[in-house]
Amino acid sequence: MELTSTELSCGSCALSRICLPANLSARETRILAGAVERGRELQSGARLIRAGARMDALYVVRSGSAKSCGVMNDGEEYVRAFNLPGEVAGLEGFADGHHTCDLVALEPLRYCRIPLGRLERLMETLPGLRREVLRLLGQSLEEAQRMRTEVSMVDARGRLASFLVDLSRRLERRNLPPTHFRLSMSRRDIARHLGLTLETVSRSLGAFRSAGWVEVRARYIKLLQPKALAALLAH
Amino acid sequence: MELTSTELSCGSCALSRICLPANLSARETRILAGAVERGRELQSGARLIRAGARMDALYVVRSGSAKSCGVMNDGEEYVRAFNLPGEVAGLEGFADGHHTCDLVALEPLRYCRIPLGRLERLMETLPGLRREVLRLLGQSLEEAQRMRTEVSMVDARGRLASFLVDLSRRLERRNLPPTHFRLSMSRRDIARHLGLTLETVSRSLGAFRSAGWVEVRARYIKLLQPKALAALLAH
DNA sequence: GGCCTCGATTGATCCGGATCAAATTCCGGC
DNA sequence: GCCGGAATTTGATCCGGATCAATCGAGGCC
C-alpha cells in the first residue's frame, strides 16, 4: 500500500483511486502530477500544518496517519478529524487563506504537497480538477456537518460505533483489512474527536467487548460483528 | 435592506458586499448577474431544497431567513444552519451532486438561484468567481468544524451565548440592528441547532435575563450586555 | 374582543457521562 | 528480561441537562 521512494507520479500511485486524481483524465492526472511535491518522512508527533499559518498548499497523506487538531480558549485540545492515506488536509484554509488548526502526524508520515499557486493556475485550465476540488470541499463540509449532528444527537456508544464503522469503511477503500487493524490514535484523541472523555471511550469499548462485538488488545482491534455496531447507528 | 422587484443586477443589490460577488470585480459581477435567476417569494415553511434531490443550483437568501435541516434515522429533526440574507445554501451538494438536507423558509423568503451548469462555465473564465466559491466552501467548512467542537466542548449557556453573539454579528454585517432583533426560528429550532432541548434553551435564556444580560419577549430579544455573553465563550 | 391552539416557561425527577481516584497493562530503553 | 513512565482500564461519586409534567402567554382566526 505504501509508495516506494522511486515512484514519482500520481498516475502510478496506489492512492490514485482515492486521492485528488480520482476522477481526472489520464492527461489531467499527468499535468497535476507535475505540480505535486513529495515531502520527506515526518516522525510521529511532527506538525505538518500550524494553526494560524498562511495557507500555501494542500497536503495529502501518502502513508501513515495524522490528526487535525487545535486547542480551545481554555487550553483543552480538540480533534477535528483523522487523516488516512489519500486524504487531503487543510481545506478549511480556503476560508480566509489561513489554517485554523494543526495537522499532526500520529505515526511516521509521508505526504504530498500541492502549492496553492500552482493549484489555482491548474484549475484555470483543467475542468476536471476544478470539479474535483469542489467535490473534496463539499465532501469535507458534508462530513463535518454530519459529525456535528451526530455529536449532539447520538449517545457515547453510538458515536464510538460510528467511528469504528467509518474507520473500517475507509480502510476497506484503501484495500487494507477492514476488520482487523491498529488504531494509530490514543483513546484520548478518539475521545476528543467524539466529544467524550477517554474513560467513556474505554468503557464503551469494554461494553462492545463484553457483547462479543469486538476484540481489543491495546491499540489493536478486531471487529467481530460490524453489523451489530452499525445497528447502533440505525437507531 | 430588501430588494425591490425592479432591481435586476447583483451590482446594485444591497447584499453585494456580503453575497457571492463580495470580492468580484465590477466586470465579473456583471457577468455573474447575467446567470442569476430571481425566485418568487416563498411562504414560511416552504421547502426550497429537498434532501436527496439532485443539486442543480446554488441558492442565495435575498430576504427573510431559512433553516438547513433534516431528520435522523430515528425521526428526530436536526438543524445544521440558519441562513440569513446574502448567505449561500446547498454547498454540501458539491460532495456527490445531491443535497443531503432540506432548506426550509422560516418566514416569507425571497431568493436568488444560480444554475450549476452556468456557474461551472463561468468559473472557467472568471478567476475571481473561482476564488470566491472556494472561499465560500472553506468558510462553511470552517464554520461547521468550529460548531462541531463547540457542541462537544461548551456547555448549554455557552452555546446559546455563542449563538446569540454570532447572530448579532451577522445582523450587523447586514446593517441591521445587532442588539435588538426578532428570532425567526422557534426555541425548538435553536435547540436542535445547538444540540440541546428546547427546555434548556428556555432556561438558559431565563438565566441570561435574570443576570440582566438580555431582555426577552417571545421571539423579540434585546442584548443588553453582549460582552457578558461573549465572555462566556472565552470560558 | 374572545377563543383556541401552539409555543414558551417553569418545576420535579432521573440518568448518562464527567470527574475523581486507583489499579493494571503496555511499551520503549537498558 | 527488567524497569519506569505513560496509556488504558476499572471503580465510585456527582452533576448538567434530558425527560416528564403542568402552567402560562402570544398570536391567529372568527
Side-chain angles (χ1 to χ4, degrees):
Chain A
M1 211 241 31
E2 296 186 354
L3 292 174
T4 69
S5 61
T6 60
E7 290 191 280
L8 291 168
S9 145
C10 293
S12 61
C13 176
L15 295 169
S16 59
R17 298 264 163 133
I18 298 163
C19 186
L20 242 184
N23 295 308
L24 300 191
S25 69
R27 179 181 151 273
E28 288 178 319
T29 302
R30 211 174 325 114
I31 297 174
L32 174 66
V36 173
E37 300 172 0
R38 300 304 177 96
R40 57 180 171 67
E41 177 157 334
L42 296 179
Q43 297 182 337
S44 178
R47 218 176 342 182
L48 187 48
I49 296 178
R50 186 177 296 260
R54 182 150 197 82
M55 179 197 197
D56 58 352
L58 285 187
Y59 292 87
V60 185
V61 175
R62 190 141 47 90
S63 71
S65 56
K67 60 175 174 179
S68 300
C69 59
V71 287
M72 301 237 72
N73 309 329
D74 61 0
E76 278 301 300
E77 192 196 18
Y78 60 83
V79 177
R80 288 187 172 181
F82 297 112
N83 304 275
L84 299 188
E87 288 175 348
V88 180
L91 291 169
E92 92 289 348
F94 277 121
D96 76 338
H98 293 267
H99 291 290
T100 52
C101 60
D102 292 346
L103 185 66
V104 176
L106 290 169
E107 51 190 327
L109 180 113
R110 284 184 291 175
Y111 65 95
C112 294
R113 184 175 177 282
I114 309 170
L116 206 55
R118 300 194 67 175
L119 182 72
E120 283 180 348
R121 245 169 292 127
L122 288 182
M123 284 181 71
E124 182 152 10
T125 53
L126 303 180
L129 183 62
R130 274 202 300 278
R131 257 193 312 265
E132 190 61 13
V133 171
L134 290 182
R135 195 185 61 78
L136 272 178
L137 274 159
Q139 220 164 45
S140 296
L141 176 60
E142 169 61 22
E143 165 74 5
Q145 291 186 335
R146 201 184 51 73
M147 286 293 301
R148 172 152 126 41
T149 73
E150 194 172 292
V151 166
S152 70
M153 306 191 69
V154 180
D155 68 7
R157 291 179 194 190
R159 276 181 259 171
L160 184 63
S162 168
F163 171 71
L164 292 175
V165 169
D166 179 61
L167 207 53
S168 173
R169 198 180 44 74
R170 285 153 75 193
L171 291 170
E172 191 166 29
R173 277 202 64 197
R174 287 159 181 75
N175 293 319
L176 295 169
T179 58
H180 190 203
F181 50 88
R182 194 184 101 88
L183 298 167
S184 59
M185 67 294 287
S186 69
R187 300 284 191 273
R188 189 169 169 288
D189 285 337
I190 298 174
R192 296 275 179 257
H193 179 56
L194 299 177
L196 302 168
T197 58
L198 60 94
E199 292 96 328
T200 298
V201 169
S202 185
R203 273 187 252 269
S204 300
L205 265 183
F208 294 165
R209 188 157 42 71
S210 305
W213 297 348
V214 301
E215 222 175 274
V216 188
R217 254 211 5 207
R219 292 198 175 184
Y220 290 90
I221 194 160
K222 191 186 289 190
L223 306 186
L224 300 173
Q225 305 209 41
K227 285 180 183 171
L229 293 173
L232 276 188
L233 313 186
H235 162 117
Chain B
M1 209 237 38
E2 297 185 354
L3 292 174
T4 69
S5 60
T6 61
E7 289 190 283
L8 292 168
S9 145
C10 292
S12 60
C13 176
L15 295 168
S16 59
R17 299 265 163 132
I18 298 164
C19 185
L20 242 185
N23 296 308
L24 300 191
S25 69
R27 179 181 150 273
E28 288 178 320
T29 301
R30 212 173 325 113
I31 296 174
L32 174 65
V36 174
E37 300 172 358
R38 301 303 178 95
R40 58 180 170 67
E41 178 156 334
L42 297 179
Q43 296 182 339
S44 179
R47 219 176 342 181
L48 187 48
I49 295 178
R50 187 176 295 260
R54 182 150 198 81
M55 179 195 195
D56 58 351
L58 286 186
Y59 292 87
V60 184
V61 175
R62 190 140 48 88
S63 71
S65 56
K67 60 175 173 178
S68 301
C69 59
V71 287
M72 301 238 72
N73 309 328
D74 61 359
E76 278 301 300
E77 191 196 19
Y78 59 83
V79 177
R80 288 187 170 180
F82 296 112
N83 304 275
L84 300 188
E87 287 174 350
V88 180
L91 291 170
E92 91 290 349
F94 276 122
D96 76 340
H98 294 267
H99 292 290
T100 52
C101 60
D102 292 345
L103 185 66
V104 176
L106 290 170
E107 51 189 327
L109 179 113
R110 283 184 291 175
Y111 65 95
C112 294
R113 183 175 178 282
I114 309 170
L116 206 56
R118 303 194 64 173
L119 182 72
E120 284 181 347
R121 244 169 293 128
L122 288 181
M123 284 180 73
E124 181 151 11
T125 52
L126 304 180
L129 183 61
R130 274 203 300 278
R131 258 193 310 267
E132 190 60 14
V133 171
L134 290 181
R135 194 184 62 78
L136 272 179
L137 274 159
Q139 220 163 44
S140 297
L141 176 61
E142 169 61 23
E143 166 74 4
Q145 292 186 336
R146 201 183 51 72
M147 285 295 301
R148 173 153 127 40
T149 73
E150 195 171 289
V151 166
S152 70
M153 308 190 68
V154 180
D155 68 8
R157 291 180 193 189
R159 277 183 259 169
L160 184 63
S162 169
F163 170 72
L164 292 174
V165 168
D166 180 59
L167 207 54
S168 173
R169 197 180 45 73
R170 285 153 75 193
L171 291 170
E172 192 167 27
R173 278 203 63 199
R174 289 160 180 75
N175 294 318
L176 295 169
T179 58
H180 191 204
F181 49 88
R182 194 185 102 88
L183 298 167
S184 59
M185 67 295 287
S186 70
R187 300 284 191 272
R188 188 167 171 287
D189 285 336
I190 297 174
R192 296 275 179 256
H193 179 56
L194 299 177
L196 301 168
T197 59
L198 61 92
E199 291 95 329
T200 299
V201 169
S202 185
R203 272 187 253 270
S204 299
L205 265 183
F208 293 166
R209 189 156 43 71
S210 304
W213 297 349
V214 302
E215 222 175 274
V216 187
R217 255 209 7 206
R219 292 197 174 183
Y220 290 91
I221 193 161
K222 191 186 287 190
L223 306 187
L224 300 173
Q225 302 209 42
K227 284 180 184 173
L229 293 173
L232 276 188
L233 313 187
H235 175 91

